[in-house]
Amino acid sequence: MTNHILVIVNTTGRQGASLARVATAVGYNVRAHITTKLSDKDGAVAKELRELKKIEIIQGSLEDQKLVSRLFIGARQAFINTISLGDEVAIGKALADAAKKAGVQHYVYSSMPDHAVFGRGWPSLPLWSCKFTVENYIRQIGLPATFVYTGIYNNNFTSLPYPLFCMKLQPNGGFLWTAPFHPDQPIPWLDAEHDVGPAVLQIFKDGLQKWSGHRIGLAYQLLTPKEVCAAFSRGLRRPCSYKRGPVTIEVPIPSGYRAQLEGIEELFGKHEAPYFGPEIQAPDEALGLWEGYRGMEEYAREVFPLEEAANGLTWMH
């Protein structure tokens, strides 16, 4: 139990919501930032946040300097996962400045690598490189921090026609996943809703004496695309196969995400670069933080059908 205030930015996202539910359950006072007002249209996460105890919800744009300046007042710890709404670099720097001014003692920032810095001809991914820029700024201003690099969310998979992680329903009742990854290249995976919260909470418990300035690869399984499909086959008891191919875009997407997908195709398809770059390894440190992770087969069996049903799909009946 603690009376300390823990600030969470983007609490309706999978990472932030995971931490909010775990932290409030063990007695933390959570100050939860959300961008838009909670409503029933926001689904299960919004309903859950409204029902949590020991939570203060702060709603508003992170481009509002007055909101940011008061967000960290009285807080000892903070978990920051910004998203691409507005200038993510400017927002990330403003949050770090406000946290330092308020005297936040441990700042956990959800970052990602900029592969271009490794000098191997790899491209930057636009939605990742901005986070890496903010990470460097946090280091420069001397804010006491730890940096988590999350693997691919298990929860990204859907049979809806979204690019990159579409498990396309086949006439035989099975699924086909088409993506640019090499079929035998290990990729780090994470069930964000289930496992981010316990892991980040343990980072705070261990403290800066263990994790000051450290980058942690937050992923619990290294699976090739073929192994992912084998796990889905076992979990769903349906055939699931993988085909290497280009990213296909069948639905409208933001232009920034289109550029990200093009970069992913080049970085991981053409160059077959390691997901976190050559310097961060997984899953040993993640397992040291939290051993009760939900693996891909369990996700496919217990969660994927529920998420699909929530999206109005009926293949599981």
Side-chain angles (χ1 to χ4, degrees), residues 181-187 223-225 244 268-269 271-275:
F181 308 109
H182 189 286
D184 296 313
Q185 181 174 8
I187 303 170
L223 300 176
T224 68
R244 190 179 192 183
F268 301 120
H271 294 285
E272 298 180 7
Y275 190 80

Side-chain angles (χ1 to χ4, degrees), residues 5-28:
I5 296 173
L6 166 62
V7 171
I8 303 175
V9 167
N10 186 25
T11 316
T12 51
R14 293 188 188 273
Q15 295 184 40
S18 179
L19 179 57
R21 67 173 67 97
V22 172
T24 54
V26 298
Y28 278 74

Side-chain angles (χ1 to χ4, degrees), residues 44-149:
V45 172
K47 183 176 184 295
E48 182 180 13
L49 288 178
R50 285 198 300 266
E51 294 175 353
L52 290 177
K53 297 180 180 179
K54 300 178 75 68
I55 190 166
E56 173 193 6
I57 295 177
I58 305 294
Q59 180 263 320
S61 170
L62 293 176
E63 294 181 308
D64 181 342
Q65 294 181 358
K66 291 182 179 179
L67 182 147
V68 170
S69 66
R70 68 175 187 269
L71 188 60
F72 299 99
I73 294 174
R76 290 197 178 186
Q77 299 160 323
F79 175 71
I80 311 299
N81 177 35
T82 54
I83 55 177
S84 54
L85 291 176
D87 185 337
E88 193 168 351
V89 171
I91 288 170
K93 290 181 177 181
L95 287 166
D97 287 338
K100 185 177 182 182
K101 183 177 180 180
V104 169
Q105 297 177 12
H106 195 173
Y107 194 84
V108 176
Y109 179 73
S110 185
S111 188
M112 286 304 279
D114 181 353
H115 283 74
V117 305
F118 298 113
R120 303 189 185 187
W122 296 338
S124 294
L125 297 182
L127 300 185
W128 290 9
S129 60
C130 58
K131 295 181 183 295
F132 188 74
T133 298
V134 173
E135 175 187 331
N136 285 333
Y137 181 77
I138 292 168
R139 295 179 184 276
Q140 290 165 10
I141 66 172
L143 182 60
T146 305
F147 306 94
V148 293
Y149 284 50

Side-chain angles (χ1 to χ4, degrees), residues 214-275:
H214 197 77
R215 294 176 178 137
I216 300 172
L218 198 56
Y220 287 91
Q221 289 182 297
L222 288 176
L223 300 176
T224 68
K226 291 195 296 187
E227 289 171 335
V228 168
C229 288
F232 260 76
S233 295
R234 294 191 300 270
L236 296 175
R237 297 184 178 181
R238 294 168 178 249
C240 178
S241 58
Y242 178 74
K243 182 176 74 173
R244 190 179 192 183
V247 174
T248 57
I249 299 175
E250 301 178 10
V251 295
I253 60 172
S255 59
Y257 186 48
R258 183 180 293 270
Q260 178 81 358
L261 291 172
E262 291 171 352
I264 286 173
E265 193 164 13
E266 180 179 357
L267 180 62
F268 301 120
K270 177 182 177 182
H271 294 285
E272 298 180 7
Y275 190 80

Side-chain angles (χ1 to χ4, degrees), residues 159 175 236 238 304-310 312-317:
S159 66
F175 293 93
L236 296 175
R238 294 168 178 249
F304 182 68
L306 297 178
E307 292 183 336
E308 292 278 273
L313 300 165
T314 60
W315 56 260
M316 67 293 297
H317 300 307

